[in-house]
Amino acid sequence: MTWSIVARDPLTGHLGIAVATRFFAVGALVPHIRGGIGAVATQAFVSPLYGVDGLSLLAAGKAPEEVIAELTARDAGRNQRQLHLIDAKGHNAAFTGAACIDWAGHLIDENVSVAGNMLTSRDVVTETLATYKKAMDKPLAERLLLAMQAGEDAGGDKRGKQSAALVIHRDQDYPWLSIRADDHPDPLAELVRLHAVAGERYLHVAETMATRQNPNGMTDRREIDEKIAALEAARIAEGRPSASCATPLKT
């Protein structure tokens, strides 16, 4: 009931998943990522354990093909499942169960894979992958959103639209960006808006957060506050409205 793209940025090593479906809250269970380890999308008759256990197996040094073999071998419902995954080095693999509802299938390329089921046609995954590859000059988040919109324009989920999600991890256990539209008439457009909102403030704050390498993060807020203020002033001067729905600050 879903299609998704799982990717590793070859320049940065960052990992990302974007997903859309005609089902509620797809971002809750389909995307699973661990920075520096890998990314797994589990879908169709979804098994969240494919994501949780898949990441543990990748962390233990298993290759993506071995992860799929182990997960499916112990699951009697595997013919109704679909998953695709990538490790921190860009090795990837995919599985589409024989009982997944047409159109169902996957495509694998260097550092990226696309998989889907219950789609209007194969064109959905073909256009998603082709658009992603054409946008390699853009940041990972934009690349993933453009790719998913191309898949939607090619037909998307044959039942319609409801939810979508985008998750990106850098090298930490927590996401650098995680946005979701759980119940929306145009969920991919909503992700584009949320990404724009994140760019106004959130992503700049994310650069200050604690990491394993720097557990203190940035403790002096002045630098980031000045940067955000300058960006906000430039937006206002150019007459560009904020993408956010936030209420004005109280004075």
Side-chain angles (χ1 to χ4, degrees):
M1 304 178 289
T2 302
W3 91 99
S4 61
I5 180 168
V6 174
R8 172 186 176 271
D9 189 303
L11 295 179
T12 63
H14 299 164
L15 298 164
I17 296 176
V19 57
T21 189
R22 170 60 169 82
F23 194 77
F24 177 71
V26 70
L29 295 175
V30 169
H32 298 258
I33 308 180
R34 193 182 303 175
I37 299 298
V40 182
T42 169
Q43 53 200 50
F45 202 54
V46 64
S47 170
L49 294 180
Y50 277 22
V52 175
D53 293 349
L55 288 177
S56 295
L57 291 169
L58 288 175
K62 299 277 189 178
E65 296 86 350
E66 294 176 305
V67 172
I68 287 178
E70 185 165 336
L71 292 175
T72 56
R74 65 194 192 197
D75 177 18
R78 58 186 172 272
N79 284 339
Q80 300 182 75
R81 319 276 193 214
Q82 187 176 53
L83 78 152
H84 54 139
L85 66 156
I86 195 165
D87 67 16
K89 295 180 180 179
H91 304 134
N92 51 10
F95 170 83
T96 299
C100 288
I101 300 173
D102 285 336
W103 189 88
H106 55 263
L107 293 174
I108 295 176
D109 209 318
E110 186 175 2
N111 282 300
V112 61
S113 60
V114 181
N117 61 94
M118 206 180 282
L119 304 179
T120 55
S121 74
R122 179 187 178 90
D123 292 346
V124 178
V125 296
T126 300
E127 289 302 312
T128 300
L129 180 60
T131 299
Y132 178 85
K133 292 174 67 177
K134 289 176 185 176
M136 294 303 293
D137 59 326
K138 299 185 182 299
L140 181 58
E142 293 180 29
R143 209 181 312 158
L144 293 168
L145 290 171
L146 285 170
M148 291 299 293
Q149 186 59 55
E152 179 61 47
D153 293 343
D157 185 325
K158 64 184 180 183
R159 300 163 306 158
K161 300 179 283 189
Q162 186 172 4
S163 68
L166 170 68
V167 184
I168 294 176
H169 279 236
R170 291 186 167 180
D171 58 349
Q172 302 298 308
D173 291 340
Y174 60 81
W176 173 74
L177 176 66
S178 179
I179 52 178
R180 288 168 43 177
D182 285 344
D183 184 34
H184 196 278
D186 195 351
L188 288 172
E190 176 65 359
L191 288 191
V192 171
R193 185 190 72 82
L194 291 172
H195 180 244
V197 175
E200 294 179 7
R201 180 176 295 268
Y202 177 84
L203 292 181
H204 305 292
V205 175
E207 299 294 338
T208 73
M209 293 183 182
T211 65
R212 298 293 186 194
Q213 297 76 20
N214 178 18
N216 297 317
M218 181 187 292
T219 55
D220 187 344
R221 294 184 48 154
R222 288 175 297 178
E223 179 180 342
I224 195 67
D225 285 345
E226 289 172 2
K227 182 176 183 179
I228 292 171
L231 290 169
E232 182 70 0
R235 180 187 66 76
I236 293 172
E238 294 169 10
R240 290 183 289 109
S242 170
S244 176
C245 297
T247 57
L249 293 174
K250 295 180 180 179
T251 59

